[in-house]
């Protein structure tokens, strides 16, 4: 079963629709976003030069730095009077990437999520427990509105409250749970401590996203919760969750390419790679009014498969994300860059420009420990400095480390040869 007939459209039909929507997206970007008008004119391009979908490769790339440089709203294509919602994701210098939606944008997003839910085997009779965070993060509200679009029942419990999550799964007989993969395993452990075997509950599906999930981790989720686990993908700059999802074949994530046009390029050269070859995923919005985005370099490494899936969908499938083209850290669904942490920490005169980040996995949840060196000769209150840093990290990045340790001057090892190492990932050990 499909939610929209376009999911099984022929490649020719898709290309015609993609061309029409790309032409409108480029026109909107050129006429309404000075950043894009300048970029296109520098390349000698006008909207009329885009005659078919393949011409997308003529267009300039957009990067996270472009969002930073145009903070907060210079990437918007509409006046704030036409914006009905704002979300945000982390930027690379402590500034969030601000994203906006018109009502039409929200309708497109809701439809994309509804397609995802149907591809995962859900329908209007199901109950979906949404354990993604609500607020500026796109996960909670994005998935929520898609469940409502489908006509299913949503339980907007949000993140955390793990014992209550277990109780809701049992008492309300939820059919599906949406959360990060690490949280799914943590929830299973909490349930066991409560004397509840989730495998005995009606729960049959976990939709996980916001952080990478390996096949062994998926298998553990499915075994410990007695469910089918499917991966959902998205990013705020494009729309949020719902760009793609695995169907029940679990053989790649269907990209709703009539709305989000995918390419894979060489991370170093930016040139397109051969079909099936791994590279960096690049996405262009084809139906975004408030924030049209041309050729956004996601930093995610994947491949594309254009073969028709056994489920009958012709929408291209991307492989599960294998890694990052940059140094993004994803901890419990929160995206943060070491450079972001550094920019916040070094605002304080009390600390030296030396720190380290230790990533660990505790009870199937990722943890981040931050160690910061104090300035030489510091003789103040370490508790006061710790509180200031934690508050600033929370306010700027919506993030706090699981542990923050302050050490005296010289307490962090120096690197004499080669690049300094700031991040130590112990999760695979």
């Amino acid at each position: 079963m499909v939610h929209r007939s376009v999911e099984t459209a022929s490649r020719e039909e898709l290309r015609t629709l993609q061309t029409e929507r790309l032409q409108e997206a480029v026109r909107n970007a050129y006429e309404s976003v000075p950043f894009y008008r300048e970029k296109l004119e520098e390349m000698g391009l006008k909207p009329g030069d885009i005659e078919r979908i393949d011409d997308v490769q003529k267009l300039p790339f957009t990067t996270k730095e472009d969002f930073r440089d145009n903070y907060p709203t210079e990437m918007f294509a509409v006046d704030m009077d036409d914006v009905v919602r704002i979300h945000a994701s982390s930027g690379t210098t402590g500034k969030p990437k601000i994203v906006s939606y018109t009502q039409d944008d929200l309708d497109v997003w809701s439809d994309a999520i509804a397609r995802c839910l149907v591809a995962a085997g859900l329908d209007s009779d199901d109950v979906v427990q949404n354990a993604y965070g609500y607020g500026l993060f796109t996960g909670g509200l994005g998935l929520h509105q898609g469940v409502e679009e489908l006509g299913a029942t949503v339980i907007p419990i949000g993140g955390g409250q793990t014992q209550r999550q277990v109780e809701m799964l049992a008492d309300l007989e939820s059919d599906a749970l949406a959360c990060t993969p690490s949280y799914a395993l943590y929830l299973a452990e909490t349930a066991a401590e409560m004397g509840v075997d989730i495998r005995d509950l009606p729960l049959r599906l976990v939709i996980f996203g916001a952080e990478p999930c390996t096949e062994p981790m998926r298998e553990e989720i499915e075994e410990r919760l007695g469910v089918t686990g499917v991966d959902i993908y998205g990013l705020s700059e494009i729309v949020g969750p719902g760009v793609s999802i695995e169907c029940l074949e679990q053989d790649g994530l269907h990209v709703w390419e009539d709305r989000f046009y995918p390419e894979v390029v060489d991370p170093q050269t930016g040139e397109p790679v051969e079909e099936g070859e791994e590279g960096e995923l690049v996405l262009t919005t084809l139906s975004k009014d408030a924030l049209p985005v041309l050729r956004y370099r996601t930093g995610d490494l994947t491949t594309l498969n254009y073969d028709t899936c056994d489920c009958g969908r012709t929408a291209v499938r991307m492989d599960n994300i294998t890694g990052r083209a940059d140094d993004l850290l994803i901890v419990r669904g929160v995206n943060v860059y070491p450079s972001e942490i550094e920019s916040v920490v070094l605002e304080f005169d009390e600390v030296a420009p030396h720190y380290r980040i230790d990533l660990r996995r505790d009870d199937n949840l990722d943890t981040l420990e931050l160690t910061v060196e104090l300035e030489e000769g510091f003789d103040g209150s370490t508790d006061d400095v710790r509180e200031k840093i934690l508050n600033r990290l929370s306010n700027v990045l919506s993030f706090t480390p699981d542990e923050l340790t302050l050490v005296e001057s010289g307490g962090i090892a120096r690197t004499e040869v080669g690049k300094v190492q700031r991040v130590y990932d112990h999760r695979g050990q």
Side-chain angles (χ1 to χ4, degrees), residues 102 293 425:
T102 64
V293 180
D425 194 341

Side-chain angles (χ1 to χ4, degrees), residues 73-129:
T73 62
E74 293 303 309
M75 298 290 281
F76 291 9
V78 299
D79 294 332
M80 193 63 76
D81 288 348
D82 295 317
V83 173
V84 298
R85 191 190 297 173
I86 294 285
H87 281 289
S89 65
S90 295
T92 56
T93 60
K95 292 289 188 182
K97 294 187 284 289
I98 304 295
V99 297
S100 58
Y101 306 79
T102 64
Q103 186 57 56
D104 285 344
D105 293 335
L106 291 183
D107 292 343
V108 167
W109 190 10
S110 296
D111 181 76
I113 293 287
R115 292 191 206 179
C116 289
L117 299 175
V118 172
L122 298 176
D123 60 35
S124 60
D125 295 329
D126 287 312
V127 177
V128 180
Q129 186 160 317

Side-chain angles (χ1 to χ4, degrees), residues 173-208:
E173 299 185 336
S174 303
D175 299 289
L177 171 68
C179 63
T180 64
S182 58
Y183 187 72
L185 292 174
Y186 181 71
L187 186 144
E189 292 181 350
T190 300
E193 294 171 358
M194 297 169 62
V196 176
D197 189 341
I198 294 183
R199 293 172 296 183
D200 294 334
L201 302 181
L203 184 70
R204 72 175 191 273
L205 178 74
V206 171
I207 301 173
F208 51 76

Side-chain angles (χ1 to χ4, degrees), residues 299-415:
D300 294 321
L301 301 178
T302 189
T303 60
L304 294 178
N305 180 356
Y306 287 88
D307 293 339
T308 299
C309 180
D310 288 344
C311 75
R313 290 176 177 82
T314 54
V316 65
R317 284 168 288 156
M318 55 181 277
D319 197 5
N320 297 83
I321 299 302
T322 59
R324 296 284 307 177
D326 52 28
D327 61 350
L328 176 68
L329 305 177
I330 304 178
V331 182
R332 297 190 305 281
V334 176
N335 293 359
V336 63
Y337 289 84
S339 58
E340 292 180 317
I341 296 175
E342 177 178 314
S343 67
V344 171
V345 169
L346 298 188
E347 291 180 9
F348 299 94
D349 294 335
E350 297 92 335
V351 304
H354 303 292
Y355 67 95
R356 65 176 282 162
I357 296 169
D358 290 271
L359 299 171
R360 306 183 191 279
R361 182 155 290 149
D362 184 19
D363 292 332
N364 289 312
L365 283 178
D366 290 340
T367 63
L368 187 150
E369 302 166 11
L370 175 62
T371 304
V372 178
E373 186 173 307
L374 292 166
E375 189 63 65
E376 186 175 2
F378 175 79
D379 61 355
S381 168
T382 56
D383 288 340
D384 288 345
V385 175
R386 181 181 293 104
E387 183 177 359
K388 287 196 295 185
I389 293 175
L390 290 173
N391 286 339
R392 186 61 176 158
L393 287 169
S394 178
N395 290 333
V396 174
L397 303 180
S398 298
F399 161 82
T400 54
D402 297 275
E403 291 184 24
L404 172 58
T405 302
L406 301 179
V407 298
E408 63 183 9
S409 178
I412 293 179
R414 306 296 194 257
T415 300

Side-chain angles (χ1 to χ4, degrees), residues 8-79:
T8 57
S10 69
R11 184 56 43 187
E12 182 179 353
E13 291 171 322
L14 267 176
R15 286 176 62 84
T16 298
L17 183 57
Q18 288 169 336
T19 294
E20 293 173 355
R21 289 179 172 170
L22 177 64
Q23 289 171 334
E24 175 57 25
V26 173
R27 183 203 61 76
N28 184 28
Y30 181 86
E31 294 181 357
S32 305
V33 185
F35 164 77
Y36 280 124
R37 182 163 57 252
E38 181 178 337
K39 282 278 192 179
L40 290 168
E41 289 180 348
E42 285 177 356
M43 301 175 73
L45 290 174
K46 298 286 186 182
D49 296 325
I50 306 303
E51 299 178 345
R52 60 186 191 278
I53 188 61
D54 293 339
D55 289 337
V56 71
Q57 295 179 11
K58 298 179 180 179
L59 299 172
F61 289 116
T62 308
T63 67
K64 57 183 179 289
E65 288 80 12
D66 294 326
F67 277 86
R68 175 198 67 193
D69 294 342
N70 290 278
Y71 176 89
T73 62
E74 293 303 309
M75 298 290 281
F76 291 9
V78 299
D79 294 332

